[in-house]
Amino acid sequence: MMKYITEATAKQTIRIRPTDSFKGTYGHITLVGGSQNFGGAIIMATMAAVYSGAGLVTTLTDPVNRTSLHAQLPEAMVADYHDEAMLKSSVSGADVIVIGCGLGTDDDALNILKTVLDTVQPDQKIIIDGSAITLIATHHLSLPKAHLIFTPHQMEWKRLSGISLPDQADVDKNKAVRDQLNATVVLKSSHTQVYTANDVFENTTGTPAQATGGMGDTLAGMIGGFVAQFSNVDLAVASAVYAHSAIADELAQHQYVVLPHQIIHHIPEFMKANEA
Amino acid sequence: MMKYITEATAKQTIRIRPTDSFKGTYGHITLVGGSQNFGGAIIMATMAAVYSGAGLVTTLTDPVNRTSLHAQLPEAMVADYHDEAMLKSSVSGADVIVIGCGLGTDDDALNILKTVLDTVQPDQKIIIDGSAITLIATHHLSLPKAHLIFTPHQMEWKRLSGISLPDQADVDKNKAVRDQLNATVVLKSSHTQVYTANDVFENTTGTPAQATGGMGDTLAGMIGGFVAQFSNVDLAVASAVYAHSAIADELAQHQYVVLPHQIIHHIPEFMKANEA
Amino acid sequence: MMKYITEATAKQTIRIRPTDSFKGTYGHITLVGGSQNFGGAIIMATMAAVYSGAGLVTTLTDPVNRTSLHAQLPEAMVADYHDEAMLKSSVSGADVIVIGCGLGTDDDALNILKTVLDTVQPDQKIIIDGSAITLIATHHLSLPKAHLIFTPHQMEWKRLSGISLPDQADVDKNKAVRDQLNATVVLKSSHTQVYTANDVFENTTGTPAQATGGMGDTLAGMIGGFVAQFSNVDLAVASAVYAHSAIADELAQHQYVVLPHQIIHHIPEFMKANEA
Amino acid sequence: MMKYITEATAKQTIRIRPTDSFKGTYGHITLVGGSQNFGGAIIMATMAAVYSGAGLVTTLTDPVNRTSLHAQLPEAMVADYHDEAMLKSSVSGADVIVIGCGLGTDDDALNILKTVLDTVQPDQKIIIDGSAITLIATHHLSLPKAHLIFTPHQMEWKRLSGISLPDQADVDKNKAVRDQLNATVVLKSSHTQVYTANDVFENTTGTPAQATGGMGDTLAGMIGGFVAQFSNVDLAVASAVYAHSAIADELAQHQYVVLPHQIIHHIPEFMKANEA
């Protein structure tokens, strides 16, 4: 039976921070993405991870994106995703990996994705977004043992699952593929659904003012940030989905369109208002 | 007979967004411009398109402008306008093209403009601004079959139409050239006029506080954003003209000069206040 | 007899903008400066010129500063100051030139300065700031026929005038050198003085919260912006000096230090509040 | 006996600025750090120094960080830390040096650190942070005669002092090593302690919302700014520690996480509210 993601979900998830905590308490996230054409995507994902409260954030991207990332956000570390040794050590050292935001689908992207998938360990969580989903589907890449979180929009889910867009209305069909993948699946739409091992959640927030480029990248980064901090992965994912659209709902009271970076800037206040 | 562009025009145009919409609903805009000296122009046009609510925005520009564009706005995709294959596919994939902001008038600019004009298809809308107008006039370039929208200031209109500045006060003269061009013409001045197939509109907003560099680039991007979203092209163009100056009027209550980026940041609130 | 620069000076200078004006009404400023080490100086000067309401602003600088300039401010055009043809045409096309902010004192800087001084015409106004003053003093460069405005701090004035710091308390000594230079001289200190052909003005605003790097560059850009717009050069210079410190005074009510970029962002509001 | 750092400490330290002061009154700081991967660290440290009110700030870093630094903050000067002559003259000309933020631990970093340590003079104050501490500990570098201020987190203190993390609870053990180092030691934790020649201070502010990357770099820059301005070094260091966390406490009332750049932006208001 479908469960709904509501304010209660967020309040159940977002914990008051313990006094004697430190950066390590809130996790190390490594994000991988951002080609020369899609650098904005990895910038937004990185900002979302940092503003969600991750302890340490490292971004592996094309070096042309270094400067704009730091102009937006000095808080993240940055490295060249072509540097294989650096890529491997950054993935190995992370609690959570986010891959795919603006990665693209060329050979470079494929090689980087393969390296990441080969490096991930079973105790790590990996959010697989955007073109990384397409590459996995197209090249039939085998998936690592790890806590997998896919964040497809409907076309990407079709590529990965083989389920046509009309058939994606059938929750059982989606669930069956999720079971094969043994992953958490965030199926993005105007009523985003989260498929977990035991449940299917549907989000109750969201606005057409969010229908603009970069929203998915922002959500991927937020999921990274929430998963790095909150131990129940399913609730963390659902709460990030909720927060992303709840902030947009709030901003859309006064804005015709809500831009991803505006949502990002409001994450710390949203989380404070919903901690428990 | 002259019609006036007023708040009613905007309210007639800006639609409440339907609940089940997605990025594609709000159009894909490709902007082309920004030489090494005039990169700011394409940055402002791109920002204006994104803040106006376009679903997806791609900017083709000189690569030296990639980083500053993303420092201002991570939401846009960016590519090198010298890459002809990329240029063609980006133009082909767009609903709306904006060309000319900071393009310059050298051979590079001419080649890029020719490629764009050769690629545009009849179902596409193309906003032709700034140096693209000058290049078309100077090199007698033939115009594509498409929905053409020219946004000249008075000197550019003189180059394109052959009408002297004093004679531009004669609406019929302007209208006759518009008919030959079979285009929408936005003739920019302190009383901007919009010439369409059936009407001549005159704007009722605007302030001398807007008399600063970049205003035209910002308007071109806004027109792109409005045309991508609202089906009546004439009303979309007129409403963008109105919004651009109405926001400036509001800011000019407290500012001696209003900068283009300040207008841009207020577009989402203006549109929300005028949706119907 | 010493006159004082007060709010009345600003109100006497800052004109309500006429309705039918355009960019050309408010002048074209070309700024020249910003070496690889001192790029921030030309960025602040450029921002100050734009926020003061200049119609068009072009910055000639080392190309390494292009991206940070546009990240701060897309409204300015930018070119490489090593490109002599471009430098000459940009200077020739300007109403007002600002040179010296972050220019440095190496051979490159000297050559650029010489080109600018050789190109300036008698009807142009040129603000000579920072290292340009030092270079003129050190290399005994001859000054062009033009409306010269020098903006030295006390050490730079010593280099240019030969007057020791203690002797700079003697207004007549300063005035005598000013007469030789046939220039407007803005002698910067905690009580900045403006020496003109007929008067000596002393500023009545200012705060120790302004004692931080970049203040002088910001003032030079503001003087450029005011001189481009207001026909009485002496009053325009005095009003820029007043505005710069009056804004700082206001911000210093709540800030221990006032940063140049914060002053810049408040210029449009200050000018609106003091237009008449 | 342990003393506590409170609002009284800040009020005892932060002086109302004298009217006839100038940039030199508030010190010249040179910061050294920021490799290609850790550029954000030196950007935050630089911003913190400028917003704390230092008179002049110069940053020596990898040149890839120039543009993002100026996009965040035009007020600082910037140079390449590989340029040994420039590095030496920048260090020599400073009142205060901050080294180590994002410096890294490779050979390049080691050479730069050695040059700085060799150049520092006895009348200078040097804040040694982050990887500079690790390099000194690992390579047994000898320390210069100067006013040394170390800002280790617990792991870095272990490397430098040899004291295990559990033993760091023993104030006497820490104090004994401090005496050998003849330095001020800021031992960072959720209850940061400051060890000076005569006292041990413990901070009374701070929040788990601060547990995010870049906090230490920001503190190092603030200490630089305070030490450059306030003559009692011990009180200056303690007050910077207090201000850093007091601002965070304030922001954490409404934010789940507090980002370093947000703290930085509030420094001028905090200092104004606590000047005496």
Side-chain angles (χ1 to χ4, degrees):
Chain A
M1 200 188 114
M2 183 77 76
K3 295 184 177 177
Y4 290 95
I5 308 175
T6 66
E7 192 180 358
T9 315
K11 286 190 192 295
Q12 197 179 340
T13 305
I14 303 171
R15 299 267 65 92
I16 294 177
R17 291 188 157 197
T19 305
D20 282 311
S21 55
F22 62 107
K23 284 184 285 196
T25 312
Y26 305 109
H28 191 158
I29 304 183
T30 291
L31 298 103
V32 184
S35 65
Q36 298 207 359
N37 297 136
F38 305 122
I42 199 69
I43 292 173
M44 290 182 279
T46 303
M47 290 171 74
V50 168
Y51 278 80
S52 295
L56 276 172
V57 174
T58 303
T59 297
L60 280 282
T61 185
D62 190 287
V64 299
N65 300 315
R66 181 197 286 113
T67 297
S68 46
L69 177 63
H70 276 154
Q72 290 283 354
L73 185 86
E75 281 85 358
M77 294 167 283
V78 62
D80 181 354
Y81 62 15
H82 300 105
D83 177 341
E84 193 173 302
M86 178 67 93
L87 181 59
K88 284 183 179 175
S89 78
S90 293
V91 168
S92 297
D95 300 298
V96 177
I97 297 106
V98 178
I99 183 157
C101 308
L103 183 64
T105 54
D106 62 11
D107 285 352
D108 238 24
L110 181 60
N111 286 334
I112 289 163
L113 175 59
K114 283 180 176 172
T115 301
V116 171
L117 295 179
D118 286 352
T119 308
V120 169
Q121 294 298 311
D123 59 330
Q124 293 181 306
K125 292 146 198 161
I126 178 167
I127 291 104
I128 303 174
D129 185 56
S131 40
I133 299 173
T134 298
L135 284 170
I136 286 171
T138 312
H139 297 273
H140 310 287
L141 303 182
S142 59
L143 296 169
K145 290 200 200 312
H147 198 126
L148 305 173
I149 301 165
F150 286 95
T151 54
H153 57 51
Q154 293 167 305
M155 281 301 298
E156 289 161 350
W157 184 232
K158 183 184 163 191
R159 286 180 205 124
L160 187 65
S161 70
I163 305 173
S164 70
L165 266 67
D167 282 1
Q168 292 181 18
D170 183 338
V171 168
D172 291 334
K173 285 214 167 102
N174 296 327
K175 187 141 186 43
V177 177
R178 187 230 76 87
D179 289 347
Q180 288 166 23
L181 292 168
N182 194 23
T184 303
V185 174
V186 179
L187 179 51
K188 296 183 288 192
S189 73
S190 55
H191 297 285
T192 293
Q193 294 177 338
V194 179
Y195 290 81
T196 71
N198 304 309
D199 294 299
V200 183
F201 298 95
E202 187 168 293
N203 192 30
T204 57
T205 50
T207 159
Q210 280 173 283
T212 190
M215 276 295 154
D217 309 303
T218 299
L219 178 58
M222 288 181 72
I223 291 174
F226 277 60
V227 162
Q229 293 175 80
F230 308 120
S231 52
N232 183 321
V233 174
D234 295 347
L235 284 179
V237 172
S239 295
V241 167
Y242 177 81
H244 177 257
S245 287
I247 294 168
D249 284 351
E250 185 72 25
L251 294 174
Q253 306 259 341
H254 303 288
Q255 297 184 201
Y256 189 73
V257 62
V258 173
L259 300 186
H261 77 262
Q262 298 172 324
I263 293 179
I264 290 165
H265 289 156
H266 285 81
I267 298 170
E269 286 178 28
F270 174 87
M271 293 179 76
K272 183 67 183 177
N274 287 279
E275 70 177 5
Chain B
M1 201 191 114
M2 182 77 75
K3 294 184 177 178
Y4 289 94
I5 309 175
T6 65
E7 192 179 357
T9 316
K11 285 189 192 296
Q12 197 179 340
T13 305
I14 303 172
R15 300 264 66 92
I16 294 177
R17 291 187 158 197
T19 306
D20 282 310
S21 54
F22 62 107
K23 283 184 286 195
T25 313
Y26 305 109
H28 191 157
I29 304 183
T30 291
L31 299 103
V32 185
S35 66
Q36 299 207 358
N37 296 136
F38 305 122
I42 199 69
I43 292 173
M44 289 183 280
T46 303
M47 291 172 74
V50 168
Y51 279 79
S52 295
L56 276 172
V57 174
T58 303
T59 298
L60 281 283
T61 184
D62 190 287
V64 299
N65 300 315
R66 181 197 286 115
T67 297
S68 46
L69 176 63
H70 277 155
Q72 290 283 355
L73 184 86
E75 281 85 358
M77 293 167 283
V78 62
D80 181 354
Y81 62 15
H82 300 104
D83 177 343
E84 193 174 301
M86 177 67 93
L87 181 59
K88 285 183 179 175
S89 78
S90 293
V91 168
S92 297
D95 300 298
V96 178
I97 297 105
V98 179
I99 184 157
C101 309
L103 183 64
T105 54
D106 62 11
D107 286 352
D108 238 23
L110 181 60
N111 286 333
I112 290 163
L113 174 59
K114 283 180 176 172
T115 301
V116 170
L117 295 179
D118 286 351
T119 308
V120 169
Q121 295 297 311
D123 59 331
Q124 292 182 306
K125 292 147 196 158
I126 178 166
I127 291 103
I128 303 175
D129 185 56
S131 38
I133 299 173
T134 299
L135 284 170
I136 286 171
T138 313
H139 296 273
H140 309 289
L141 303 183
S142 59
L143 295 170
K145 290 200 200 310
H147 198 125
L148 305 173
I149 301 165
F150 286 96
T151 54
H153 57 52
Q154 294 167 304
M155 281 301 298
E156 289 161 350
W157 183 233
K158 182 184 163 191
R159 287 180 204 125
L160 186 65
S161 70
I163 306 172
S164 71
L165 266 67
D167 283 359
Q168 292 180 18
D170 183 337
V171 167
D172 291 333
K173 285 216 168 97
N174 296 326
K175 186 141 188 41
V177 177
R178 185 231 77 87
D179 290 345
Q180 289 167 24
L181 292 168
N182 193 23
T184 303
V185 174
V186 179
L187 179 51
K188 297 183 289 192
S189 73
S190 55
H191 297 285
T192 292
Q193 295 177 337
V194 179
Y195 290 81
T196 71
N198 303 309
D199 294 299
V200 183
F201 298 94
E202 187 167 294
N203 192 29
T204 57
T205 51
T207 159
Q210 281 173 282
T212 191
M215 276 295 154
D217 309 304
T218 299
L219 178 59
M222 287 181 72
I223 291 174
F226 277 59
V227 163
Q229 294 176 79
F230 308 121
S231 52
N232 184 320
V233 174
D234 294 348
L235 284 179
V237 171
S239 295
V241 167
Y242 177 81
H244 177 257
S245 287
I247 295 168
D249 283 351
E250 184 72 25
L251 294 174
Q253 305 260 339
H254 303 288
Q255 297 184 200
Y256 190 73
V257 63
V258 172
L259 300 186
H261 78 262
Q262 297 172 324
I263 293 179
I264 291 166
H265 289 156
H266 285 81
I267 298 171
E269 285 178 28
F270 174 87
M271 292 179 77
K272 182 69 183 176
N274 287 280
E275 70 177 4
Chain C
M1 199 191 113
M2 183 78 74
K3 295 185 177 177
Y4 290 94
I5 309 175
T6 65
E7 192 179 357
T9 316
K11 286 189 192 296
Q12 196 180 341
T13 304
I14 303 172
R15 300 266 64 93
I16 293 177
R17 290 187 159 197
T19 304
D20 283 309
S21 55
F22 62 107
K23 284 184 286 194
T25 313
Y26 304 110
H28 191 157
I29 304 183
T30 292
L31 299 104
V32 185
S35 66
Q36 299 208 357
N37 295 136
F38 305 122
I42 199 69
I43 293 173
M44 289 182 279
T46 303
M47 291 172 73
V50 168
Y51 279 80
S52 295
L56 276 172
V57 174
T58 303
T59 298
L60 281 283
T61 185
D62 191 287
V64 301
N65 300 315
R66 180 197 287 114
T67 297
S68 45
L69 176 63
H70 277 155
Q72 290 282 354
L73 184 86
E75 282 85 358
M77 292 166 284
V78 63
D80 181 354
Y81 62 15
H82 300 104
D83 177 343
E84 194 173 303
M86 177 68 93
L87 181 59
K88 285 182 179 174
S89 78
S90 293
V91 168
S92 296
D95 301 297
V96 178
I97 297 105
V98 179
I99 183 156
C101 309
L103 183 63
T105 54
D106 62 11
D107 286 352
D108 238 25
L110 181 60
N111 285 333
I112 290 163
L113 175 59
K114 282 180 176 171
T115 301
V116 170
L117 295 178
D118 286 352
T119 308
V120 169
Q121 295 297 310
D123 60 330
Q124 292 182 305
K125 292 147 196 159
I126 177 166
I127 291 105
I128 303 175
D129 185 57
S131 38
I133 299 173
T134 299
L135 285 169
I136 287 170
T138 313
H139 297 271
H140 309 287
L141 303 182
S142 59
L143 294 169
K145 288 198 199 314
H147 198 126
L148 305 172
I149 301 164
F150 286 96
T151 54
H153 57 52
Q154 294 166 306
M155 281 301 298
E156 289 160 350
W157 184 232
K158 183 183 162 193
R159 287 179 205 127
L160 186 65
S161 69
I163 306 173
S164 71
L165 267 66
D167 283 1
Q168 292 180 17
D170 183 337
V171 167
D172 291 333
K173 285 215 167 100
N174 296 326
K175 185 139 189 43
V177 177
R178 188 230 76 87
D179 290 345
Q180 289 168 24
L181 292 168
N182 193 23
T184 304
V185 174
V186 179
L187 180 50
K188 297 183 288 191
S189 73
S190 54
H191 298 285
T192 293
Q193 296 177 337
V194 179
Y195 290 81
T196 72
N198 303 310
D199 294 298
V200 183
F201 299 94
E202 186 168 294
N203 192 29
T204 58
T205 51
T207 158
Q210 282 174 282
T212 190
M215 276 296 154
D217 309 303
T218 299
L219 178 58
M222 288 182 71
I223 292 173
F226 278 60
V227 162
Q229 294 176 81
F230 308 121
S231 52
N232 184 320
V233 173
D234 294 348
L235 283 179
V237 171
S239 294
V241 168
Y242 177 81
H244 177 258
S245 287
I247 295 169
D249 283 351
E250 184 72 25
L251 295 175
Q253 306 259 340
H254 303 288
Q255 297 184 201
Y256 190 74
V257 63
V258 172
L259 300 186
H261 77 263
Q262 298 172 324
I263 292 178
I264 290 166
H265 289 156
H266 285 82
I267 298 170
E269 286 178 28
F270 174 88
M271 292 179 76
K272 182 70 183 177
N274 287 280
E275 70 177 6
Chain D
M1 200 189 115
M2 184 77 75
K3 294 184 177 177
Y4 290 94
I5 309 174
T6 65
E7 192 179 357
T9 315
K11 286 189 192 297
Q12 197 179 341
T13 305
I14 302 171
R15 300 267 65 92
I16 294 176
R17 291 187 158 196
T19 304
D20 283 310
S21 55
F22 63 107
K23 283 184 286 195
T25 314
Y26 304 109
H28 191 158
I29 305 183
T30 291
L31 298 103
V32 184
S35 65
Q36 299 207 357
N37 296 136
F38 305 122
I42 199 69
I43 292 173
M44 290 182 279
T46 303
M47 291 171 74
V50 168
Y51 278 80
S52 294
L56 276 172
V57 174
T58 303
T59 298
L60 281 281
T61 185
D62 191 286
V64 300
N65 301 314
R66 182 198 285 113
T67 298
S68 45
L69 177 63
H70 276 155
Q72 290 283 354
L73 185 86
E75 281 86 359
M77 292 167 285
V78 62
D80 182 353
Y81 61 16
H82 299 105
D83 176 342
E84 193 174 302
M86 178 67 93
L87 181 59
K88 284 183 179 174
S89 79
S90 293
V91 168
S92 296
D95 301 297
V96 178
I97 298 105
V98 179
I99 184 158
C101 309
L103 183 63
T105 54
D106 62 11
D107 285 354
D108 238 25
L110 181 59
N111 286 334
I112 290 163
L113 175 60
K114 282 181 177 172
T115 301
V116 170
L117 295 179
D118 285 353
T119 308
V120 169
Q121 294 297 311
D123 59 330
Q124 293 182 305
K125 293 146 197 161
I126 177 166
I127 291 103
I128 303 175
D129 185 57
S131 39
I133 299 173
T134 298
L135 285 170
I136 287 170
T138 312
H139 297 272
H140 310 288
L141 303 181
S142 60
L143 295 169
K145 288 202 200 311
H147 199 126
L148 306 172
I149 301 165
F150 287 96
T151 54
H153 57 52
Q154 293 167 306
M155 281 301 298
E156 289 161 350
W157 184 232
K158 183 184 162 193
R159 286 181 204 125
L160 186 64
S161 69
I163 306 172
S164 70
L165 266 66
D167 282 1
Q168 292 180 17
D170 183 337
V171 167
D172 290 335
K173 285 213 167 102
N174 296 327
K175 186 141 188 43
V177 177
R178 187 230 76 86
D179 290 346
Q180 287 167 24
L181 292 168
N182 194 21
T184 304
V185 174
V186 179
L187 179 51
K188 297 183 288 192
S189 72
S190 55
H191 297 286
T192 293
Q193 295 177 337
V194 179
Y195 290 81
T196 72
N198 303 309
D199 294 299
V200 184
F201 299 95
E202 186 167 294
N203 192 29
T204 58
T205 51
T207 158
Q210 282 173 281
T212 190
M215 276 296 153
D217 309 304
T218 299
L219 179 58
M222 288 181 71
I223 291 174
F226 278 59
V227 163
Q229 293 176 80
F230 309 120
S231 53
N232 184 321
V233 174
D234 294 348
L235 283 179
V237 172
S239 295
V241 167
Y242 176 81
H244 177 258
S245 288
I247 295 169
D249 283 352
E250 184 73 24
L251 294 175
Q253 306 258 340
H254 302 288
Q255 297 184 201
Y256 190 74
V257 62
V258 173
L259 299 187
H261 78 261
Q262 298 172 324
I263 292 179
I264 291 166
H265 290 156
H266 286 81
I267 298 170
E269 286 178 26
F270 175 88
M271 292 178 76
K272 183 68 183 177
N274 287 280
E275 69 176 6

